[in-house]
Each structure stands twice: as structure tokens, then as C-alpha cells.
């Protein structure tokens, strides 16, 4: 393969149709019994993922970190945190994954480091106006004695986005005060990160998921935000509002992406995906132009409720906008920052992104959640493009919604003094064996967040080989997705079956029918490949909140 081939987003590239499974290392499997997941634990459970039928793994950060934001506060980008293991453990899990035919994607956190990173410590030591300070955003404050922050920006996790240091200057942190933002206007920062990319690529990583990819460039002069309503997602602002926010989605980001892309293209067959909460999709699509990211998370899809008309619009818009720049669309329902989709999609008033559900909130209807969650997964996995799964969703795992405050660890909880409970509810260690300590997560029974009792019933061993279980459903979906090449297919709506309460699309030789209810729907003729209905004896009709795949 020539370098030119390697750099295109051409059909046939693995990421265009891949199902990518997110491992949140803290909560997947604990190999040493300390209650915290680790890479040895992952290695021991890797066969279960190849059996599931995924194509790639994305690891949330496992680099050295004080863990103030669960690893998204990195103090050494080229080493592992001892909590998760060693570089040799990484090599070993990578090589086993490759033997099993799985690609491995590493998380890159370029917007900010930990305040424990040597570069930030040097900046603090070196003083005002020094070259060391120019790696980050330091500024004098407003007010007579500089006692007010330099502008009105708010941290995504709550409170001001600036913290004052002893010599009177302030530093910027869009997230926690332990996560100072890099100044990408300093070319040394770019050089540093190119080195980080090469480090993991040389070790054999197949690509990167790039954290807060839309925040790296700040508007010159760091002007005030006009409306203070904006959150991390931008999803509470008008999605049709194209105006760039002073620290989200600035045009200058594209040069940085192109720089990353050049480095990646020095290697064969590697890819990078942007985590960028940018709306609308037409703007998001600019992130995946030919010489930029290979893919971007489709958060507009994630934010869409289980509702026929809107879902159809978002699918059309995604295929159109990403297609227009030659990129595959991606699809995603859950990750470590949002309420797990089986709970979210059935919950009446969905809290804003980044908020969870606490014990005092109205509690979800578990059965309804299972129905809608399974249906939403089956609807998504039939779509052409690449899909992201979050660990535990193949078990139908719901959000932990009764987690007591004393266990909470998300900085959002602390920075808002408990007003927003934060994201811990989707990060709870997953259950493997119903009758083992910590449901098989850890031999000692330790678990960094306590698992709710209802996780027992979702354990993998209770579902393995059980017809109609969510695990077997996912396996069937992934297997038919592959055998019918749905990831590379073309979507065609069956308009006669697209109403306010039903949707149907054809992708290659598979017809996907979804019933949003309330009535049951007579199914078209054909061999049913897979249905989300628990009662597999129901034939010929599709109940509400159910999906069927039919072979044409
Ligand atoms: C997005 C990550 O997914 C989230 O978990 C983290 O808190 C922020 N970026 C800050 O790095």
C-alpha cells in the first residue's frame, strides 16, 4: 500500500464500518483485586469481546494521572498509571487483541493536562511572562487588584473556569481546576503532542479517540461568553446556531487536526475519531473532511429521543452531511459521560448531558427501559457506517440511579455542591458472574463504586447462551450486521412503513422495522433474522418499542 492510499478515507478502510467497543478501564475487569479495573483484567476477559463480534476497542485513558477526573487529567502521556498496569501490560493486551482480530484505539487528551504534569508545574515555578507559562493560558485578572477572573467563562463541571495562583495570575481550565488548558497558540504544544501520537503509534496502537477535540483553540483575546447558558455539549443552545463560542468549535482547530492527520498518515491504516460536541451536523462534518479526522462521534444521534420522525430526520441528516465530505457516519447511544441509554431513552425528563440521576430523583421504569433500549440498539446496529458501543450495554445494563452521595467521585458533583449528581451512575463496574464477589468484576469483591443489587440479573453468565437475552441479541445483531455487510451498505427508507409511530429501512438485503407504538404492527413477509421481542414465540407482529430484522 502506498502512502497516498493510506491517507484516504476510501471504502474498505476498517474504521468505515467498524463496531468499536469502549472500555472504561476502571470498570471493565479488575485483575489484581484492588477494586479498580486494570489492563490485566481486560486481557483476561478479551475473548468475551471477540465472541461478541466487535471490531475494535477504544480505551478511555489509562495514562499516569492523579485521577481527579477519572484519568482525563493526564500527568504523563507516555506511561500507564500504576492503577491500570504498566506499558508492558499495554503491549500484552494490544498483542492479544490483534491476535483476536481486534483493533485498539487509545484516548488522547490534548485540551488540558493534569495540574501535576511537569509542564504545568514548570509553568507555576517559572513565573509571569515566562516561556514556561506560555504552554498554558495564564492571564491577569480584572478589578483593581486583579481579584476578578479574566473573563466570565464557566467550567463545564460548574463554577468559574479560572483559578488564581499565589503570584496573582489566573489560569484557565474549562473543566476541573486540576485540568489546566493548554495554549495551542504555542507551537511547542503541538510538537509535544505529535510526539505523544508517535509514541502510541510506534507501540502499535491503531488510532486515537481525541478528547474535547472542539476546544483546543480559544478566540483571541478570550472575550466573555455572551450567553452564559452554554454547557459542554452546546446541546442546550439552538442546534441551528452556527455562531462559534469563544472556546468551542473555533476555526483554528482545523489546522491542528490537519497536523495530527499528517502524523497519523505516516503510519499504515490508523485512524482517529473526534469527540466534539458540535451542532449542527453540517458543522460537525467539517471535522471529518478528507485531511482531518477519519470519524467523529455523532452526538446529535445520541441526543435524539426514541421518536420515529426525529430519528428519521437525524439519520438522513447524518448520512447526507458526513457523506458529502466522504466520511462514514458514526452512531452512538451510550458512553461514560451520559446516562446509559436503556435508562435515558425511557426516562421522562432527561437531565442535561453531564448530569445523572440521583436517589431523590424520580426513578426509571426498568422494564420499559429494557424494551426501548434493546430496540434502539437494534435500530442503530442496522445502519450503514460505524457504531460505538459502551461496555455493559451488550448486557442491557441500566444506569445506577440510587448511588449514595458518599460514593460519588465525578468532579461535577463536588463543583456544584451536589446540585448535579454527575456521571458516576454510568461508570459502575460491570457484572460478569452473578454469584461471584462484585459479580465477577474483582476476585476480592472490591469495587471502586458499589454495584447496585439489580446488576446481578444482568450478569454475563446469566445471559450467555440464553435465547432472547440482551447479550445474545447483540451477538446476533453483530453477526448479521457483518454477514450482510451492513456497515458498508446503503440505507433506503420504506416510505409506506414510515409513519409517526413506525420506521422501516432497507440496508443491503436486510429490512429493519421499528415499532414505536402504541399499537402492534403486522410484519412484512420474510425470514426474521432477529427480533428484540423477549417472547420469541410471537410471530407475524411487532409489539410496540420493538425492532425486527428481516432477510429480503
Ligand atoms: C470528555 C470526556 O469524555 C469526559 O469524561 C471528561 O470529563 C472531559 N472530556 C474532560 O476531559
Amino acid at each position: 500500500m502506498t502512502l497516498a492510499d493510506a491517507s484516504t478515507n476510501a471504502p474498505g478502510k476498517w474504521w468505515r464500518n467498524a463496531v468499536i467497543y469502549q472500555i472504561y478501564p476502571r470498570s471493565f475487569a479488575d485483575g489484581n483485586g484492588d477494586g479498580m479495573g486494570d489492563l490485566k483484567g481486560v486481557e483476561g476477559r478479551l475473548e468475551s469481546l471477540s465472541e461478541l463480534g466487535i471490531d475494535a476497542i477504544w480505551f478511555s485513558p489509562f495514562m499516569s494521572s492523579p485521577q481527579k477526573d477519572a484519568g482525563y487529567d493526564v500527568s504523563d502521556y507516555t506511561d500507564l498509571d500504576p492503577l491500570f498496569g504498566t506499558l508492558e501490560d499495554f503491549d500484552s493486551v494490544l498483542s492479544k487483541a490483534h491476535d483476536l482480530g481486534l483493533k485498539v484505539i487509545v484516548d488522547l487528551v490534548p485540551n488540558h493536562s493534569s495540574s501535576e504534569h511537569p509542564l504545568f508545574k514548570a509553568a507555576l515555578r517559572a513565573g509571569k511572562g515566562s516561556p514556561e507559562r506560555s504552554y498554558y493560558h495564564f492571564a491577569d485578572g480584572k478589578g483593581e487588584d486583579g481579584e476578578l477572573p479574566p473573563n466570565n467563562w464557566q467550567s463545564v463541571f460548574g463554577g468559574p473556569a479560572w483559578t488564581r495562583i499565589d503570584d496573582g495570575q489566573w489560569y484557565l481550565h474549562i473543566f476541573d481546576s486540576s485540568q489546566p488548558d493548554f495554549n495551542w497558540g504555542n507551537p511547542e504544544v503541538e510538537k509535544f503532542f505529535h510526539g505523544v501520537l508517535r509514541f502510541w503509534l510506534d507501540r502499535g496502537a491503531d488510532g486515537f479517540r481525541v478528547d474535547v477535540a472542539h476546544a483546543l483553540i480559544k478566540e483571541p483575546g478570550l472575550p466573555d461568553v455572551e450567553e452564559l447558558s452554554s454547557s459542554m455539549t452546546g446541546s442546550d443552545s439552538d442546534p441551528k446556531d452556527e455562531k462559534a463560542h469563544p472556546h468551542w468549535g473555533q476555526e483554528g482547530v482545523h489546522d491542528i487536526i490537519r497536523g495530527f492527520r499528517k502524523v497519523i498518515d505516516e503510519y499504515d491504516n490508523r485512524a482517529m475519531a473526534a469527540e466534539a460536541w458540535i451542532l449542527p451536523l453540517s458543522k460537525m462534518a467539517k471535522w471529518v473532511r478528507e485531511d482531518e479526522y477519519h470519524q467523529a462521534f455523532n452526538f446529535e444521534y445520541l441526543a435524539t429521543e426514541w421518536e420515529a420522525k426525529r430519528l428519521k430526520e437525524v439519520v438522513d441528516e447524518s448520512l447526507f452531511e458526513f457523506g458529502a465530505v466522504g466520511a462514514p457516519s458514526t452512531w452512538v447511544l451510550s458512553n461514560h459521560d451520559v446516562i446509559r441509554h436503556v435508562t435515558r431513552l425511557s426516562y421522562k425528563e432527561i437531565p442535561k448531558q453531564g448530569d445523572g440521576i440521583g436517589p431523590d430523583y424520580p426513578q426509571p421504569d426498568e422494564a420499559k427501559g429494557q424494551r426501548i433500549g434493546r430496540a434502539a440498539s437494534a435500530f442503530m446496529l442496522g445502519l450503514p457506517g460505524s457504531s460505538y458501543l459502551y461496555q455493559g450495554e451488550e448486557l442491557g445494563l441500566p444506569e445506577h440511579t440510587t448511588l449514595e452521595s458518599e460514593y460519588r467521585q465525578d468532579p461535577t458533583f463536588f463543583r456544584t455542591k451536589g446540585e448535579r449528581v454527575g456521571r458516576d451512575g454510568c461508570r459502575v463496574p460491570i457484572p460478569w458472574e452473578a454469584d461471584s464477589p462484585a459479580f465477577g468484576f474483582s476476585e476480592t469483591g472490591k469495587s471502586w463504586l458499589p454495584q447496585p443489587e439489580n446488576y446481578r440479573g444482568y450478569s454475563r453468565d446469566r445471559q450467555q447462551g440464553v435465547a432472547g437475552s440482551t447479550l445474545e441479541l447483540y451477538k446476533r445483531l453483530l453477526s448479521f450486521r457483518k454477514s450482510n455487510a451492513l456497515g458498508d451498505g446503503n440505507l433506503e427508507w420504506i416510505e409506506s412503513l414510515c409513519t409517526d409511530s413506525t420506521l422501516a429501512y432497507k440496508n443491503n438485503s436486510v429490512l429493519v422495522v421499528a415499532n414505536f407504538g402504541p399499537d402492534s404492527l403486522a410484519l412484512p413477509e420474510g425470514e426474521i433474522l432477529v427480533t428484540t421481542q423477549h417472547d420469541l414465540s410471537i410471530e407475524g407482529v411487532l409489539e410496540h418499542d420493538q425492532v425486527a430484522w428481516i432477510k429480503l
Side-chain angles (χ1 to χ4, degrees):
M1 181 180 292
T2 66
L3 208 57
D5 286 337
S7 71
T8 64
N9 210 349
K13 296 293 183 185
W14 66 267
W15 58 85
R16 290 193 66 98
N17 59 21
V19 174
I20 302 171
Y21 182 99
Q22 179 187 359
I23 290 187
Y24 195 63
R26 298 177 143 245
S27 303
F28 186 74
D30 176 11
N32 65 4
D34 65 356
M36 180 64 70
D38 48 42
L39 293 202
K40 281 256 182 294
V42 173
E43 189 170 337
R45 299 282 193 183
L46 219 45
E47 277 86 1
S48 64
L49 295 187
S50 67
E51 222 182 272
L52 179 62
I54 54 146
D55 304 299
I57 295 163
W58 145 38
F59 278 105
S60 278
F62 43 52
M63 293 85 188
S64 309
S65 159
Q67 303 290 324
K68 299 276 194 231
D69 183 23
Y72 283 95
D73 50 319
V74 180
S75 55
D76 186 345
Y77 287 86
T78 54
D79 203 356
L80 258 77
D81 196 288
L83 270 182
F84 302 122
T86 61
L87 278 171
E88 289 66 41
D89 293 337
F90 172 76
D91 293 341
S92 176
V93 87
L94 180 86
S95 125
K96 184 162 175 189
H98 283 168
D99 288 348
L100 291 168
L102 304 174
K103 306 272 186 200
V104 174
I105 294 172
V106 170
D107 216 313
L108 182 78
V109 187
N111 180 65
H112 45 264
S113 69
S114 158
S115 51
E116 294 297 312
H117 195 283
L119 285 171
F120 189 71
K121 286 198 188 159
L124 288 182
R125 272 197 312 270
K128 215 168 156 170
S130 61
E132 287 85 347
R133 285 237 167 142
S134 70
Y135 276 79
Y136 294 88
H137 289 280
F138 282 89
D140 293 328
K142 287 184 178 160
E144 233 164 76
D145 296 315
E147 72 282 9
L148 300 172
N151 66 25
N152 70 353
W153 296 2
Q154 296 291 296
S155 152
V156 167
F157 296 153
W162 293 90
T163 290
R164 199 170 195 197
I165 57 170
D166 287 348
D167 67 12
Q169 279 212 305
W170 298 74
Y171 67 88
L172 175 69
H173 52 87
I174 294 183
F175 294 90
D176 187 51
S177 55
S178 62
Q179 296 166 294
D181 280 46
F182 278 112
N183 170 19
W184 275 85
N186 178 350
E188 293 301 318
V189 171
E190 182 165 47
K191 250 194 241 162
F192 171 79
F193 274 100
H194 286 185
V196 174
L197 288 173
R198 288 199 173 90
F199 176 85
W200 293 105
L201 292 166
D202 287 341
R203 267 200 126 81
D206 297 290
F208 301 92
R209 171 267 190 193
V210 181
D211 189 59
V212 223
H214 54 315
L216 306 190
I217 291 288
K218 279 76 182 175
E219 191 174 328
L222 312 183
D224 278 352
V225 175
E226 279 168 31
E227 292 151 47
L228 270 179
S229 67
S230 55
S231 74
M232 159 161 148
T233 64
S235 59
D236 57 349
S237 58
D238 178 358
K240 300 287 171 249
D241 178 8
E242 283 266 7
K243 199 163 67 69
H245 180 288
H247 56 70
W248 299 139
Q250 291 287 314
E251 272 303 301
V253 169
H254 295 288
D255 288 337
I256 299 175
I257 307 173
R258 291 188 188 105
F260 285 170
R261 183 63 188 256
K262 278 201 186 113
V263 174
I264 296 218
D265 286 348
E266 290 165 14
Y267 297 75
D268 208 13
N269 226 9
R270 319 289 172 100
M272 53 176 186
E275 188 235 10
W277 290 85
I278 286 292
L279 300 176
L281 278 162
S282 55
K283 191 164 179 191
M284 179 77 265
K286 292 190 181 150
W287 261 247
V288 287
R289 287 174 292 193
E290 208 187 4
D291 53 351
E292 302 199 27
Y293 286 103
H294 300 79
Q295 353 173 290
F297 291 130
N298 189 339
F299 289 127
E300 188 139 358
Y301 185 77
L302 181 148
T304 304
E305 293 183 26
W306 179 241
E307 198 260 308
K309 205 161 157 259
R310 184 64 197 128
L311 212 46
K312 183 169 188 263
E313 277 167 11
V314 173
V315 169
D316 277 341
E317 202 183 332
S318 307
L319 293 172
F320 176 80
E321 297 293 354
F322 289 121
V325 291
S329 185
T330 64
W331 314 102
V332 58
L333 288 168
S334 282
N335 65 34
H336 65 294
D337 289 330
V338 299
I339 296 168
R340 283 184 173 277
H341 74 270
V342 301
T343 304
R344 190 184 70 242
L345 293 175
S346 63
Y347 199 67
K348 257 210 182 112
E349 279 180 33
I350 303 174
K352 265 202 249 163
Q353 194 277 321
D355 294 358
I357 297 174
D360 309 334
Y361 294 40
Q363 290 300 300
D365 175 339
E366 200 172 334
K368 185 174 173 195
Q370 287 302 307
R371 229 172 37 231
I372 296 183
R374 286 158 55 98
S377 302
F379 185 84
M380 173 179 88
L381 287 170
L383 296 169
S386 168
S387 279
Y388 280 81
L389 305 180
Y390 176 49
Q391 65 179 35
E393 71 168 85
E394 75 280 22
L395 306 174
L397 217 55
E399 182 85 355
H400 186 350
T401 56
T402 53
L403 188 68
E404 300 295 342
S405 301
E406 64 194 279
Y407 299 113
R408 297 226 170 248
Q409 304 214 4
D410 185 349
T412 308
F413 178 75
F414 299 104
R415 291 184 64 88
T416 62
K417 303 196 170 51
E419 199 185 303
R420 290 161 58 192
V421 296
R423 302 160 294 176
D424 294 311
C426 62
R427 299 175 171 182
V428 175
I430 61 173
W432 295 87
E433 286 105 27
D435 300 320
S436 299
F439 305 136
F441 164 68
S442 161
E443 269 183 12
T444 56
K446 287 191 186 160
S447 173
W448 71 280
L449 284 175
Q451 299 156 300
E453 185 48 37
N454 70 346
Y455 272 26
R456 184 187 301 279
Y458 293 95
S459 298
R460 188 168 297 249
D461 67 341
R462 291 261 171 107
Q463 303 196 39
Q464 183 82 24
V466 176
S469 70
T470 302
L471 179 61
E472 293 304 322
L473 169 72
Y474 267 72
K475 283 190 203 162
R476 285 176 78 80
L477 292 168
L478 293 176
S479 146
F480 287 124
R481 180 186 153 86
K482 195 155 273 170
S483 56
N484 290 281
L486 301 189
D488 295 317
N490 285 306
L491 176 136
E492 197 187 303
W493 295 107
I494 309 300
E495 293 296 344
S496 58
L497 284 171
C498 291
T499 67
D500 284 350
S501 57
T502 61
L503 287 180
Y505 63 82
K506 184 166 113 58
N507 182 1
N508 288 345
S509 54
V510 174
L511 175 68
V512 176
V513 186
N515 183 6
F516 299 77
D519 304 322
S520 48
L521 170 76
L523 276 176
E525 298 267 303
E527 179 202 348
I528 295 188
L529 294 176
V530 50
T531 160
T532 57
Q533 259 155 202
H534 272 293
D535 184 352
L536 301 175
S537 63
I538 303 177
E539 278 178 22
V541 288
L542 196 61
E543 301 292 322
H544 67 101
D545 300 329
Q546 305 289 352
V547 166
W549 285 21
I550 297 170
K551 182 85 184 167
L552 294 175

